[in-house]
Amino acid sequence: MTDDIEQTETEEVSELEKLHLEVEQAHENELRAIADYKNLMRRTQEERIRSMKMAGRDVIEKILEPVEYLRLAKEQLKNKGLDMVYDRFVQALETEGVKEIACLGKDFDSNTMEVIDKQESEDKKKSGKVVKVTRSGYTLNGDVIQHAKVVISI
Protein backbone atom coordinates (compact mmCIF):
# COMPACT_ATOMS: atom_id res chain seq x y z
CA MET A 1 0.00 0.00 0.00
CA THR A 2 2.80 2.40 0.74
CA ASP A 3 4.30 1.44 -2.59
CA ASP A 4 1.05 2.49 -4.27
CA ILE A 5 1.05 5.80 -2.41
CA GLU A 6 4.70 6.47 -3.25
CA GLN A 7 4.07 5.59 -6.88
CA THR A 8 1.03 7.88 -6.98
CA GLU A 9 3.02 10.68 -5.35
CA THR A 10 5.86 10.16 -7.83
CA GLU A 11 3.42 10.27 -10.74
CA GLU A 12 1.83 13.43 -9.35
CA VAL A 13 5.26 15.09 -8.92
CA SER A 14 6.24 14.00 -12.41
CA GLU A 15 2.95 15.33 -13.82
CA LEU A 16 3.43 18.57 -11.86
CA GLU A 17 6.97 18.95 -13.24
CA LYS A 18 5.64 18.40 -16.78
CA LEU A 19 2.98 21.06 -16.25
CA HIS A 20 5.57 23.42 -14.80
CA LEU A 21 7.82 22.91 -17.86
CA GLU A 22 4.86 23.47 -20.20
CA VAL A 23 4.00 26.72 -18.41
CA GLU A 24 7.65 27.88 -18.66
CA GLN A 25 7.75 27.00 -22.35
CA ALA A 26 4.46 28.79 -22.99
CA HIS A 27 5.81 31.86 -21.18
CA GLU A 28 9.02 31.76 -23.25
CA ASN A 29 6.95 31.44 -26.43
CA GLU A 30 4.86 34.42 -25.35
CA LEU A 31 7.97 36.53 -24.68
CA ARG A 32 9.42 35.49 -28.05
CA ALA A 33 6.17 36.40 -29.81
CA ILE A 34 6.10 39.80 -28.09
CA ALA A 35 9.73 40.45 -29.10
CA ASP A 36 8.97 39.40 -32.69
CA TYR A 37 5.99 41.75 -32.75
CA LYS A 38 8.05 44.66 -31.42
CA ASN A 39 10.78 43.97 -34.00
CA LEU A 40 8.19 43.85 -36.76
CA MET A 41 6.73 47.18 -35.65
CA ARG A 42 10.21 48.76 -35.51
CA ARG A 43 11.16 47.43 -38.96
CA THR A 44 7.84 48.57 -40.40
CA GLN A 45 8.35 52.06 -38.98
CA GLU A 46 11.94 52.19 -40.31
CA GLU A 47 10.77 51.04 -43.74
CA ARG A 48 8.01 53.67 -43.76
CA ILE A 49 10.54 56.40 -42.92
CA ARG A 50 12.97 55.07 -45.55
CA SER A 51 10.19 55.06 -48.17
CA MET A 52 9.24 58.63 -47.33
CA LYS A 53 12.88 59.71 -47.58
CA MET A 54 13.25 57.98 -50.93
CA ALA A 55 10.11 59.64 -52.28
CA GLY A 56 11.48 62.99 -51.14
CA ARG A 57 14.85 62.15 -52.65
CA ASP A 58 13.31 61.52 -56.07
CA VAL A 59 11.61 64.92 -56.04
CA ILE A 60 14.75 66.68 -54.81
CA GLU A 61 16.89 65.05 -57.51
CA LYS A 62 14.46 66.35 -60.14
CA ILE A 63 14.64 69.86 -58.69
CA LEU A 64 18.46 69.99 -58.58
CA GLU A 65 18.90 70.37 -62.35
CA PRO A 66 16.74 73.52 -62.64
CA VAL A 67 18.42 74.90 -59.49
CA GLU A 68 21.78 74.36 -61.15
CA TYR A 69 20.57 76.27 -64.23
CA LEU A 70 19.46 79.09 -61.92
CA ARG A 71 22.91 79.13 -60.32
CA LEU A 72 24.59 79.40 -63.72
CA ALA A 73 22.20 82.14 -64.84
CA LYS A 74 22.75 84.00 -61.57
CA GLU A 75 26.53 83.96 -62.12
CA GLN A 76 26.18 85.23 -65.69
CA LEU A 77 23.41 87.82 -65.36
CA LYS A 78 24.05 89.41 -61.95
CA ASN A 79 20.33 90.07 -61.46
CA LYS A 80 18.98 90.75 -57.93
CA GLY A 81 15.62 89.13 -58.65
CA LEU A 82 17.32 85.99 -59.95
CA ASP A 83 19.63 86.01 -56.92
CA MET A 84 16.60 86.11 -54.61
CA VAL A 85 14.85 83.23 -56.41
CA TYR A 86 18.01 81.11 -56.37
CA ASP A 87 18.67 81.86 -52.68
CA ARG A 88 15.07 80.91 -51.81
CA PHE A 89 15.43 77.58 -53.65
CA VAL A 90 18.66 76.88 -51.77
CA GLN A 91 17.00 77.71 -48.43
CA ALA A 92 14.05 75.44 -49.22
CA LEU A 93 16.38 72.58 -50.14
CA GLU A 94 18.43 73.09 -46.98
CA THR A 95 15.33 72.78 -44.82
CA GLU A 96 14.79 69.36 -46.45
CA GLY A 97 18.33 68.23 -45.55
CA VAL A 98 20.03 69.08 -48.86
CA LYS A 99 23.47 70.65 -48.66
CA GLU A 100 25.78 71.78 -51.43
CA ILE A 101 29.17 70.06 -51.38
CA ALA A 102 31.95 72.61 -50.88
CA CYS A 103 34.59 71.88 -53.53
CA LEU A 104 36.43 74.97 -54.71
CA GLY A 105 40.01 75.06 -53.40
CA LYS A 106 39.62 71.68 -51.67
CA ASP A 107 41.49 68.45 -52.34
CA PHE A 108 39.76 66.17 -54.85
CA ASP A 109 37.48 63.61 -53.17
CA SER A 110 36.24 60.77 -55.37
CA ASN A 111 33.35 60.12 -52.96
CA THR A 112 31.76 63.49 -53.67
CA MET A 113 33.36 64.73 -56.90
CA GLU A 114 33.85 63.72 -60.51
CA VAL A 115 36.79 65.11 -62.50
CA ILE A 116 35.78 66.36 -65.92
CA ASP A 117 39.02 68.19 -66.77
CA LYS A 118 42.53 68.89 -65.53
CA GLN A 119 44.49 72.14 -65.60
CA GLU A 120 48.24 72.66 -65.44
CA SER A 121 49.39 74.51 -62.33
CA GLU A 122 52.75 76.17 -61.73
CA ASP A 123 52.36 75.72 -57.98
CA LYS A 124 52.86 72.00 -57.22
CA LYS A 125 51.30 72.53 -53.78
CA LYS A 126 47.96 73.09 -55.52
CA SER A 127 48.19 69.80 -57.42
CA GLY A 128 45.00 67.79 -56.93
CA LYS A 129 43.01 70.81 -55.75
CA VAL A 130 39.69 71.80 -57.28
CA VAL A 131 40.11 74.96 -59.35
CA LYS A 132 36.66 75.11 -60.94
CA VAL A 133 33.22 73.65 -60.27
CA THR A 134 31.14 73.12 -63.41
CA ARG A 135 28.21 71.49 -61.65
CA SER A 136 27.53 71.63 -57.93
CA GLY A 137 27.29 68.44 -55.92
CA TYR A 138 24.70 67.85 -53.20
CA THR A 139 24.12 65.63 -50.19
CA LEU A 140 20.77 64.69 -48.70
CA ASN A 141 20.97 63.94 -44.98
CA GLY A 142 24.66 63.10 -45.41
CA ASP A 143 24.27 60.85 -48.48
CA VAL A 144 25.66 62.06 -51.81
CA ILE A 145 22.77 62.43 -54.27
CA GLN A 146 24.69 64.33 -56.95
CA HIS A 147 28.45 64.32 -57.40
CA ALA A 148 30.09 67.67 -58.15
CA LYS A 149 31.70 67.95 -61.58
CA VAL A 150 35.05 69.66 -61.12
CA VAL A 151 38.27 70.72 -62.81
CA ILE A 152 41.42 69.96 -60.82
CA SER A 153 44.97 71.24 -61.02
CA ILE A 154 47.83 68.91 -61.86
Side-chain angles (χ1 to χ4, degrees):
M1 180 128 143
T2 56
D3 285 340
D4 288 342
I5 293 175
E6 284 179 18
Q7 184 178 5
T8 305
E9 285 178 1
T10 304
E11 287 175 4
E12 287 177 0
V13 167
S14 177
E15 187 67 28
L16 187 61
E17 286 175 353
K18 284 182 186 175
L19 289 173
H20 184 66
L21 285 174
E22 286 178 17
V23 166
E24 280 183 21
Q25 192 164 11
H27 181 67
E28 287 177 19
N29 288 343
E30 177 188 20
L31 290 176
R32 214 172 272 120
I34 290 170
D36 287 344
Y37 176 75
K38 287 180 179 178
N39 287 335
L40 175 67
M41 294 302 290
R42 180 184 48 78
R43 283 192 308 269
T44 303
Q45 181 68 15
E46 287 172 357
E47 185 60 34
R48 190 175 307 145
I49 290 169
R50 192 175 11 260
S51 294
M52 288 170 45
K53 283 183 180 179
M54 288 307 292
R57 179 181 176 148
D58 291 343
V59 171
I60 287 170
E61 286 176 345
K62 289 176 184 171
I63 291 172
L64 288 178
E65 185 178 5
V67 168
E68 187 64 18
Y69 290 139
L70 274 174
R71 182 185 69 81
L72 294 171
K74 173 185 158 191
E75 289 174 2
Q76 294 296 316
L77 300 175
K78 306 291 184 203
N79 180 299
K80 279 193 171 199
L82 192 56
D83 289 351
M84 289 172 51
V85 171
Y86 174 77
D87 291 343
R88 183 61 196 113
F89 263 109
V90 169
Q91 288 171 357
L93 288 170
E94 286 175 351
T95 62
E96 297 302 316
V98 176
K99 290 191 170 96
E100 186 174 350
I101 299 169
C103 299
L104 200 56
K106 307 261 179 162
D107 288 329
F108 172 72
D109 178 6
S110 63
N111 296 317
T112 59
M113 303 172 203
E114 179 183 337
V115 175
I116 61 164
D117 201 4
K118 297 176 183 175
Q119 241 180 30
E120 292 277 336
S121 174
E122 292 177 14
D123 187 358
K124 293 300 178 192
K125 291 180 183 177
K126 292 186 178 181
S127 182
K129 301 265 186 202
V130 175
V131 293
K132 184 178 179 185
V133 177
T134 61
R135 185 184 80 182
S136 296
Y138 295 93
T139 60
L140 174 62
N141 300 319
D143 296 330
V144 176
I145 58 172
Q146 179 175 292
H147 287 78
K149 293 193 182 222
V150 297
V151 176
I152 62 168
S153 62
I154 55 172

